[in-house]
């Protein structure tokens, strides 16, 4: 099953016999709060207009635990996550489509969590809300309670030690902007740089100017150029495990399985005992 769905394909699916549950996961990474500006309000954006039948999911509250030693967006408590999914109408036998405001990062975080916890049929709307040409609605639906019960996967996620080991034994990709990888700027975390051995692979390069994923063959060629080889394990991290989920999604589109380091740089850099590399060289 393809991990993404186009707007036209989604319109057809919604008109079909088994329409998907729609999750609106609008969220933005913002450093504006440090300057005293209000943060992005995804719920307000949802109330102003969303895909018909979509239910809003709060990334900070329902797709992550409270920030702390495990990073800014550590994995959520599965009871909280499961309750949010059931509230949205997610059942084990119901297809799910997630979308956000266009970057795909937050939608990919929801996609990854659902897949990692055992849901068999989840896709991301390619291009997000801007790709949708149909009507929007402002009313908040109240779907019937779903029955999905998340179970943590035995594979597919990395902790700090696992990420460090993978950087030596396989391929660890850093999905942040190149300047953050190199340590030239660091607007959020304690220190700039990257995990020693990690390869710079900005997630923004997985999409075209319209925000939609590049064709699978182009993505496969990109990742091969970054060092992906058949049978070699691949992992991804970013600042806090959100844009990295988008890179895991891009890898899935290319047919490449990958693990997510959920704590990412926000966890790694919080411990002054962990090594930090700077500059363009992985080491």
């Amino acid at each position: 099953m393809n991990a993404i769905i186009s707007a036209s394909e989604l319109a057809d699916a919604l008109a079909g016999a088994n329409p998907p549950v729609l999750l609106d996961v609008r969220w933005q990474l913002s450093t504006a709060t440090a300057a005293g500006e209000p943060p992005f309000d995804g719920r307000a954006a949802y109330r102003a207009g969303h895909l018909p039948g979509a239910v809003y999911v709060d990334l900070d509250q329902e797709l992550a635990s409270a920030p702390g030693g495990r990073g800014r967006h550590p994995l959520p408590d599965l009871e909280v996550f499961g309750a949010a999914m059931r509230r949205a109408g997610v059942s084990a036998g119901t297809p799910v489509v997630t979308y956000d405001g266009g970057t795909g990062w937050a939608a990919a975080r929801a996609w990854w969590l659902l897949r990692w916890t055992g849901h068999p049929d989840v896709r991301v709307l390619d291009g997000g809300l801007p790709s949708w040409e149909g009507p929007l609605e402002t009313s908040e639906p109240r779907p019937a309670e779903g029955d999905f019960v998340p179970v943590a996967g035995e594979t597919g996620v990395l902790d700090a030690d696992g990420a460090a080991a993978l950087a030596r034994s396989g391929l660890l990709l850093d999905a942040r902007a190149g300047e953050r990888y190199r340590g030239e700027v660091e607007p959020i975390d304690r220190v700039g740089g990257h995990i020693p051995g990690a390869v710079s692979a900005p997630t923004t390069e997985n999409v075209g100017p319209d925000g939609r994923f590049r064709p699978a063959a182009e993505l496969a060629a990109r990742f091969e150029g970054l060092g992906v080889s058949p049978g070699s394990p691949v992992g991804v991290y970013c600042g806090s495990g959100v844009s990295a989920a988008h890179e895991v999604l891009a890898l899935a589109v290319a047919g490449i399985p990958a693990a997510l380091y959920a704590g990412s740089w926000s966890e790694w850099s919080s411990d002054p005992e962990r090594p930090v590399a700077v500059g363009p060289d992985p080491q």
Side-chain angles (χ1 to χ4, degrees), residues 9 21 23 35 39 44-45 48 62 94 97 109 112 114 125 127 140 175 209 214 231 255:
E9 290 171 332
V21 170
L23 304 182
E62 296 171 321
T94 305
V97 172
R109 171 77 174 213
W112 181 86
L114 281 164
L125 176 58
E140 295 192 39
R214 298 185 184 280

Side-chain angles (χ1 to χ4, degrees), residues 78-158:
L78 290 189
E79 290 189 6
V80 173
F81 173 63
M85 295 299 100
R86 291 189 293 274
R87 170 185 61 81
V90 175
S91 291
T94 305
V96 179
V97 172
T98 72
Y99 73 90
D100 57 26
T103 66
W105 294 5
R109 171 77 174 213
W111 166 85
W112 181 86
L113 278 168
L114 281 164
R115 293 291 293 155
W116 178 64
T117 56
H119 199 288
D121 189 351
V122 191
R123 288 181 283 179
V124 172
L125 176 58
D126 194 16
L129 185 64
S131 71
W132 180 254
E133 296 181 353
L136 300 178
E137 68 179 23
T138 57
S139 60
E140 295 192 39
R142 295 290 185 268
E145 183 88 355
D147 64 17
F148 177 67
V149 177
V151 177
E154 296 182 0
T155 60
V157 67
L158 299 169

Side-chain angles (χ1 to χ4, degrees), residues 156-242:
V157 67
L158 299 169
D159 60 12
D161 290 341
L166 185 59
R168 298 188 298 269
S169 64
L171 180 65
L172 182 65
L173 299 176
D174 185 318
R176 299 172 301 159
E179 57 268 26
R180 290 185 70 190
Y181 170 88
R182 296 187 295 271
E184 296 166 358
V185 299
E186 182 44 65
I188 306 173
D189 293 310
R190 185 185 67 84
V191 63
H194 58 269
I195 297 173
V199 173
S200 180
T203 197
T204 52
E205 296 179 16
N206 295 322
V207 299
D210 60 359
R212 298 176 190 176
F213 280 103
R214 298 185 184 280
E218 286 187 20
L219 290 171
R222 181 193 184 217
F223 291 122
E224 181 180 1
L226 290 169
V228 171
S229 58
S232 180
V234 180
V236 188
Y237 75 96
C238 58
S240 65
V242 178

Side-chain angles (χ1 to χ4, degrees), residues 60 64-75 189-190 239-240 261-271 274:
D60 291 317
S65 296
R70 294 186 298 128
R72 275 191 308 283
H73 292 105
L75 294 178
D189 293 310
R190 185 185 67 84
S240 65
Y261 172 25
S264 284
W265 189 248
S266 58
E267 178 188 37
W268 182 276
S269 64
S270 68
D271 184 349
R274 292 193 184 105

